[in-house]
Amino acid sequence: QVHLVESGGGVVQPGRSLRLSCAASGFTFGDYYMHWVRQPPGKGLEWVAVMSHDGSLEYKADSVKGRLSIYRDNSEKKLYLQMDSLKFDDTGVYFCARGVPTSAGGLDYWGQGILVTVSS
Amino acid sequence: AIQMTQSPSSLSASVGDSVTISCRASQDIRKDFGWYQQKPGKAPKLLIHAASTLESGVPSRFSGSGSGTDFTLTINNVQPEDVAVYYCLQDYYYPWTFGQGTKIEIK
């Protein structure tokens, strides 16, 4: 079955960098758009970024443009989120999620999430 | 970016009640819209996509309706296991945006 497992989280100082990984299994990774969604502690969900199935397209939320980069390795079945110049507001649980390939299909599978804490 | 305004922020219901959550988009998003359920400490779960299509395995007491700018999620015969936060999400165009969430509690 479909599994998404995030890793790479932890405690990091403001201004530093962190790279999150999402390992996929149970489906043909290279056929799907993949997304990152985050959730600050005790708050709602925020869509962060998406990368197309072949890596040719990406879109990001305005709040992360210029600091967070999304990329993927289809041969390794992994999605990444490179987080630079981290701010306190970047603290939260980060989920990777699979995009349904049909229009308006939503996000049908999610990882368990990984906590990123930006703290001095 | 498209703004999604979700209401109410919380509600309390008795087992067996019917409840409705609303979500309004700041512009026409056709039916490119979904509802998600998040239980404490868990990842969100897709309940409904394309505004009204129930995901496989989701109980039929959940239903969605709407198109354009106004959408609703209805839960009939609320059960204790429905305690969760519910979010709407527009997937019409990027950046996708979530509503603020609605917390459902049981009286």
Side-chain angles (χ1 to χ4, degrees):
Chain A
Q1 66 269 38
V2 173
H3 270 121
L4 298 169
V5 180
E6 301 92 341
S7 61
V11 181
V12 61
Q13 292 178 325
R16 303 297 290 265
S17 297
L18 201 64
R19 187 183 77 166
L20 304 183
S21 301
C22 170
S25 60
F27 66 102
T28 305
F29 183 69
D31 286 351
Y32 290 83
Y33 280 46
M34 295 297 296
H35 300 246
W36 288 100
V37 173
R38 68 183 181 181
Q39 185 168 38
K43 296 189 176 181
L45 300 170
E46 179 187 17
W47 179 88
V48 173
V50 61
M51 177 152 275
S52 62
H53 63 288
D54 61 359
S56 62
L57 295 173
E58 66 178 75
Y59 299 93
K60 288 177 277 191
D62 289 344
S63 60
V64 305
K65 281 181 181 176
R67 300 187 303 111
L68 274 60
S69 303
I70 184 172
Y71 60 103
R72 64 192 293 163
D73 185 334
N74 284 352
S75 65
E76 294 289 325
K77 300 182 182 180
K78 286 189 174 179
L79 176 73
Y80 299 96
L81 187 67
Q82 176 66 39
M83 309 169 70
D84 298 321
S85 303
L86 281 161
K87 303 178 179 180
F88 294 118
D89 287 350
D90 294 318
T91 293
V93 175
Y94 285 71
F95 299 97
C96 67
R98 189 180 83 166
V100 177
T102 56
S103 175
L107 301 170
D108 63 348
Y109 285 93
W110 296 63
Q112 82 287 352
I114 191 77
L115 178 62
V116 172
T117 303
V118 182
S119 174
S120 53
Chain B
I2 298 174
Q3 306 300 316
M4 303 300 294
T5 303
Q6 188 173 340
S7 62
S9 57
S10 65
L11 64 88
S12 184
S14 298
V15 173
D17 282 354
S18 289
V19 299
T20 297
I21 301 170
S22 298
C23 208
R24 173 166 289 177
S26 59
Q27 67 183 72
D28 187 346
I29 58 170
R30 306 182 310 185
K31 297 187 76 172
D32 295 356
F33 177 89
W35 290 102
Y36 295 75
Q37 175 193 64
Q38 187 180 32
K39 296 185 177 181
K42 299 293 187 181
K45 173 187 175 182
L46 177 61
L47 296 178
I48 289 169
H49 72 269
S52 58
T53 302
L54 202 65
E55 289 299 297
S56 174
V58 174
S60 59
R61 62 179 182 274
F62 290 89
S63 64
S65 65
S67 67
T69 60
D70 292 300
F71 302 86
T72 58
L73 172 69
T74 300
I75 311 174
N76 291 313
N77 186 24
V78 169
Q79 296 298 302
E81 60 265 32
D82 300 334
V83 167
V85 180
Y86 294 81
Y87 294 93
C88 61
L89 171 68
Q90 68 82 13
D91 50 12
Y92 179 62
Y93 76 67
Y94 299 112
W96 288 5
T97 40
F98 286 93
Q100 301 92 326
T102 297
K103 185 175 184 179
I104 293 183
E105 298 175 324
I106 299 293
K107 289 180 185 174

